Amino acid sequence: MKQIPYWLDTAPALPDRSGKGLPEEADVVVVGGGLTGLSTAYHAAGKGAGVVLVEKDKVGSGASGRNGSMCTQGITIGVGEARKRYGQQRARELYDSFRDAVDVVEELTQKEQIDCDFHRSGRLGVAFKPQHFESMQATQRDLADNFGHETRLLTRSELRSELGSDYYHGALLDPLSAGLHVGKYVHGLAEAAERAGAEIHERNAATGLTRLPAGGFLVETLHGTIRAKQVMAATDAYTDKALPWFRKRLINVGSFIVVTEPLGEARAKELIPNARLVVDSKNIGHYIRLTPDNRLAFGGRARFAPSNPDSDIKSGDILKREMAEIFPQLSDVRIDYVWGGMVGFSWDRLPHAGEANGLYYSMGYCGHGVQMATYMGRAVAEMMDGRPEANPLRGLGFPKVPVPFYNGTAWFLPFGGAYYKAKDRLR
């Protein structure tokens, strides 16, 4: 069993981008080599800016290479909550940005010929409880009437044609969500950014930022200092002490995934006949999909603990038991991969982007990072080019986590996790 992300292990090998000398200055320095940073670098360089990206590990080594590889529709807080907070017009604008984000990923893969198995396979939101299915009925009407999005309801009996399990009480099928191989996508986006003119420096962490009186920043890194006219913070859940303002606004939650041995095409189709992306309605839920080589990837929060080798193994054991509960036919299947990573959540459960203390940023994707990171990277490149209206998240603020002396260590998560797991058990 490998304790590395399946997506990175099965992506083509990339050249080593470490050990290169830094230029003395750049128009834009991007801190972070995940999808946000790579998309920003790609789009900013495409506008003619001199771009340098610094990444403390390898591109995609954080959340961008550790997720469920889903590119899904839908606003993180739900349409009802969005309307309650912001009114119908602003809720529709936010919803459309999440929908447009999937289009941006598709357009980028086509334009740059990134072979990453992008496919509009559709998303099944499956109902863990009967009352969850009742809520989905109301959501379907709301999406059609107020958000221009047609979805399909599946009763429990109808769901059997889409999922080889009797565990759930129905589903809402969104036909526009997409799956992809995120390891191939990250690597392809890095190559596209370099073709556009961006420099990528791996294994070279940013260690300090100094705002200069005359404008711009001095960016200190492990291997040198560079002067930048503009700096983009693209670190999300992997934000360290070099960016304390953002750490006070992010709650970093562990998420874990197991991937089975190859099941073969016939057995895989018995589980998810149409290769849908599956996300359940539990408070501590699961996300499930087939890989391009007919394995089952099964992810979830599992434990409210940081990701490390011991924690990942413990979480993998939990996920395997839960997988067998949903799919009893997999009780004897071998697990070939287990890994974990951190997901960045904001207090209000929405992504945030803008400019703070002279720094541009986009982070807090709340589990929707594949598409929103790509989309917001493009938006930030526009913002840095003098178009603040390109930011679909403008005006939302970025609230601090309202816990005394909070500095980025979410010590309270196990208590919250226990509460929500107890709610899930009350069926």
Side-chain angles (χ1 to χ4, degrees), residues 158-423:
E158 291 171 330
L159 180 58
R160 202 62 178 82
S161 67
E162 291 279 2
L163 193 68
S165 173
D166 295 318
Y167 190 76
Y168 297 106
H169 294 269
L172 186 64
L173 171 60
D174 158 43
L176 299 179
S177 291
L180 75 169
H181 188 302
V182 78
K184 294 178 181 179
Y185 179 51
V186 169
H187 289 186
L189 187 52
E191 292 172 336
E194 289 179 318
R195 287 195 298 271
E199 291 187 25
I200 298 176
H201 295 255
E202 295 177 324
R203 305 196 189 283
N204 189 16
T207 56
L209 293 170
T210 303
R211 195 168 184 177
L212 299 173
F217 287 86
L218 203 62
V219 183
E220 300 169 44
T221 78
L222 289 176
H223 302 299
T225 302
I226 180 170
R227 181 170 180 158
K229 295 177 183 176
Q230 296 171 312
V231 175
M232 164 61 172
T235 48
D236 199 26
Y238 291 79
T239 301
D240 60 24
K241 294 179 180 179
L243 297 168
W245 191 89
F246 300 104
R247 281 173 60 87
K248 294 177 183 296
R249 288 160 172 79
L250 290 169
I251 302 170
N252 300 323
V253 180
S255 194
F256 306 88
I257 303 180
V258 294
V259 174
T260 69
E261 64 184 305
L263 302 174
E265 184 176 358
R267 195 176 183 188
K269 284 191 172 183
E270 289 176 3
L271 298 175
I272 311 178
N274 297 308
R276 308 292 194 192
L277 313 173
V278 182
V279 180
D280 73 24
S281 63
K282 283 185 174 182
N283 290 293
I284 310 298
H286 299 109
Y287 45 96
I288 309 164
R289 61 159 295 176
L290 295 173
T291 66
D293 58 351
N294 292 312
R295 305 169 185 263
L296 189 76
F298 188 93
R301 302 292 177 248
R303 300 170 68 246
F304 279 80
S307 173
N308 58 54
D310 289 341
S311 181
D312 292 355
I313 290 292
K314 292 175 182 177
S315 297
D317 290 341
I318 294 170
L319 289 174
K320 185 176 182 182
R321 290 196 301 269
E322 293 173 341
M323 180 182 71
E325 186 178 0
I326 297 169
F327 300 105
Q329 62 270 49
L330 296 183
S331 58
D332 61 346
V333 75
R334 187 182 75 236
I335 300 298
D336 279 356
Y337 292 87
V338 60
W339 73 90
M342 304 306 290
V343 181
F345 279 78
S346 61
W347 184 254
D348 60 2
R349 293 180 294 119
L350 279 172
H352 290 277
E355 186 179 355
N357 304 318
L359 289 173
Y360 290 89
Y361 68 91
S362 180
M363 54 186 71
Y365 298 116
C366 305
H368 286 243
V370 174
Q371 69 278 13
M372 287 305 290
T374 303
Y375 182 58
M376 292 309 302
R378 186 183 74 169
V380 171
E382 294 291 335
M383 292 157 59
M384 291 191 296
D385 197 33
R387 295 188 60 242
E389 69 276 10
N391 180 9
L393 307 174
R394 62 191 179 277
L396 297 181
F398 196 170
K400 286 184 179 180
V401 177
V403 175
F405 309 111
Y406 182 75
N407 65 355
T409 301
W411 53 266
F412 47 83
L413 281 179
F415 302 100
Y419 169 74
Y420 285 112
K421 284 187 177 183
K423 287 188 69 173

Side-chain angles (χ1 to χ4, degrees), residues 16-33 37-38 40-46 49-55 59 189-204 223 225-226:
D16 183 3
R17 298 183 173 95
S18 63
K20 299 183 294 184
L22 283 172
E24 292 183 0
E25 57 184 19
D27 296 320
V28 175
V29 169
V30 178
V31 180
L38 292 170
T40 303
Y42 167 80
H43 287 100
V51 181
V52 172
L53 182 150
V54 292
E55 161 58 42
V59 294
L189 187 52
E191 292 172 336
E194 289 179 318
R195 287 195 298 271
E199 291 187 25
I200 298 176
H201 295 255
E202 295 177 324
R203 305 196 189 283
N204 189 16
H223 302 299
T225 302
I226 180 170

